DNA sequence: GACGTTTAATTGTCTGACAAATGAAAATTG
DNA sequence: CAATTTTCATTTGTCAGACAATTAAACGTC
């Protein structure tokens, strides 16, 4: 890969791209050691700080790891689902907060995705997944629970539901839906929601999964989706009413 | 956010995290200008190269953009779906290639996700989406088409199907499934597949969407999933047979 | 007022240096 | 000879200072 010093693009971005392309193409296999920063600087005919900026870009994407010392250097990282998970959640959260996505759109996407793995979860759920879901449901029924803790427990419940599908690819792809959208919805609807209703649906979902009943699970998720959407509608109606009252008084 | 010079973690990583947290928390709103590199170096009590490494990390995640000149600097970027899309695809591709995901697992996840948006696509597909899908299907029927071009057209077809749901959040979340897994499957099955079979299913999918028939669309996607999986099984059976023969001869 | 020119601010890049970590080789010791 | 300690070379992490390139605002000229 050639580097063009006259390009509009930063040298460090070009170098990062060159190395990234090598990783994607498989030219640089996992755990391969890259040349030292000094050697890379020579190869690309740039200074060491520029090379370092390029390497930091790759490190930010978990594509490489660096190690100091005699046998240290930058190594191609095996990208793990856990590593990608966090980034996916962060990105999804920012996408939602920065792009004025309507509540309905987010809600629709979130439940469509969760319903996608419900049949698999009904088939494959282990005792462990069921135990987690029931423990979280039980926690959600505690009277003194803070809204934050309720939300966290809610996320844990749905995450267990997704993980029950036993498909790591699905779990990863759904991370954004569960861990980014669920808190968003909790934040919007927590004033209007009835915890008992949610706890009841959660309990029934666990029961349906227990007996491997995919149909009922799906129906319950639809019920939860409808309830969430109705909450959202109510909250926004209240907001708008208050806003109109305010402008009328002013 | 405090920076700890004695931490095991790089200063540039700590600084990047501090700024990233500010962006996520909303302390740094979109289009806000960060202090200049020199000012940041002062504030965090580090040198300018260290600050720059931190900023490059953030730039690699599309969280900031930089501009030269008198009124330039680093600005908080509005993370757009298009920007996140590419990264999501890259990450998904690497996850699949680096984690020895079985063909069945990938196939299952891919079709579960696509089926999730089929009902919405059946409801909302525009004439545009239909036209795209039919144009791609027509292209796939051309005799002289290379395998690469067939794969690209295949991706375009499924992308149009997903986009037809009219939900940008869903489109984003499914990017990994369509643009990373579909090529993977094409690469594996291209020796065994029958293009005519795929073209026929694609044609029928477009017809079902045309008349807003969600049920038939879903059934056809299941059919495609089954066909793909059977292809995968056949290919791997052939591989294993060849391998066993080889080891027996050696 | 319109149009060049200068200027100041800011990022991009380079050079050179030193500190810290780390494994390997060499020296030492039993 | 084996085990241990020391030394050392390599590599990343960080710093300081400098200059180039870019850009918009301020200034001056007509």
């Amino acid at each position: 890969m050639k580097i063009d010093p006259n390009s509009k693009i930063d040298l460090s971005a070009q170098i990062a791209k060159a190395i990234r392309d090598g990783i994607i193409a498989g030219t640089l296999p996992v755990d391969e050691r890259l040349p030292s920063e000094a050697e890379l600087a020579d190869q690309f005919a740039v200074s060491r700080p520029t090379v370092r900026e390029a390497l930091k870009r790759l490190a930010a994407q978990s594509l490489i790891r660096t190690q100091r010392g005699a046998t240290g250097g930058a190594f191609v990282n095996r990208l793990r689902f856990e590593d990608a998970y966090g980034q996916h959640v962060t990105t999804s959260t920012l996408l939602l907060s920065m792009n004025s996505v309507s509540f309905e759109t987010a809600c629709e996407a979130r439940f469509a995705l969760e319903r996608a793995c419900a049949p698999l979860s009904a088939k494959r759920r282990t005792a462990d997944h069921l135990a987690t879901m029931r423990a979280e449901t039980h926690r959600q029924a505690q009277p003194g629970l803070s809204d934050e803790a309720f939300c966290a427990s809610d996320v844990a419940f749905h995450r267990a539901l997704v993980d029950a599908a036993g498909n790591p690819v699905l779990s990863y792809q759904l991370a954004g839906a569960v861990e980014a959208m669920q808190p968003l919805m909790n934040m919007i609807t927590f004033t209007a929601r009835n915890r008992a209703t949610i706890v009841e649906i959660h309990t029934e979902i666990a029961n349906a999964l227990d007996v491997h009943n995919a149909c009922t699970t799906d129906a319950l998720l639809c019920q939860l989706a409808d309830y969430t959407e109705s909450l959202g509608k109510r909250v926004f109606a209240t907001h708008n009413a208050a806003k109109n009252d305010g402008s009328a008084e002013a």
Side-chain angles (χ1 to χ4, degrees), chain A:
Chain A
M1 180 70 180
K2 285 286 177 57
I3 301 301
D4 174 14
N6 299 326
S7 163
K8 298 292 169 201
I9 302 161
D10 291 358
L11 289 177
S12 66
Q14 292 181 53
I15 294 169
K17 175 166 169 31
I19 297 174
R20 180 165 38 235
D21 287 347
I23 294 174
I24 293 172
T27 319
L28 297 168
V30 166
D31 290 335
E32 174 95 345
R33 182 180 175 282
L34 299 183
S36 73
E37 294 174 354
E39 285 174 303
L40 285 172
D42 273 353
Q43 285 181 23
F44 288 115
V46 297
S47 68
R48 214 186 122 209
T50 302
V51 166
R52 281 182 63 78
E53 288 178 10
L55 293 179
K56 294 314 161 199
R57 294 178 116 110
L58 298 174
Q61 297 177 300
S62 308
L63 294 183
I64 61 168
R65 61 180 185 276
T66 54
Q67 205 178 358
R68 290 219 271 204
T71 59
F75 298 84
V76 177
N77 213 10
R78 154 160 281 122
L79 192 57
R80 293 175 190 288
F81 281 101
E82 305 92 292
D83 300 336
Y85 203 91
Q87 264 194 320
H88 188 26
V89 172
T90 302
T91 305
S92 297
T93 304
L94 286 172
L95 277 173
L96 288 175
S97 72
M98 288 179 169
N99 284 284
S100 62
V101 175
S102 79
F103 182 82
E104 277 156 310
T105 303
C107 190
E108 174 179 286
R110 181 218 168 299
F111 281 103
L113 291 170
E114 190 162 355
R115 282 178 59 201
C117 63
L120 296 168
S121 299
K123 202 195 302 177
R124 304 195 190 133
R125 99 289 178 285
T126 66
D128 243 25
H129 294 125
L130 270 182
T132 302
M133 293 170 71
R134 285 186 165 137
E136 296 297 344
T137 307
H138 187 257
R139 179 175 314 173
Q140 290 154 24
Q142 304 282 329
L145 203 69
S146 73
D147 284 318
E148 288 78 16
F150 184 87
C151 174
S153 174
D154 196 20
V155 169
F157 175 91
H158 288 286
R159 188 167 167 175
L161 198 164
V162 169
D163 287 344
N167 187 318
V169 181
L170 215 43
S171 289
Y172 166 71
Q173 299 288 348
L174 273 145
V178 173
E179 307 240 3
M181 298 191 212
Q182 191 65 21
L184 177 78
M185 286 167 199
N186 267 283
M187 198 159 13
I188 290 172
T189 61
F190 81 97
T191 53
R193 76 173 163 220
N194 179 2
R195 287 193 188 178
T197 307
I198 294 169
V199 168
E200 194 189 325
I201 298 179
H202 282 183
T203 306
E204 289 183 41
I205 288 176
N207 290 340
L209 290 177
D210 197 344
V211 297
H212 303 286
N213 188 331
C215 255
T216 306
T217 306
D218 189 64
L220 288 164
L221 280 174
C222 287
Q223 200 178 323
L224 193 55
D226 288 344
Y227 180 60
T228 308
E229 202 174 335
S230 75
L231 286 178
K233 279 214 180 78
R234 201 190 312 168
V235 167
F236 284 111
T238 312
H239 278 197
N240 290 339
K243 195 161 41 169
N244 290 342
D245 281 2
S247 60
E249 283 167 12

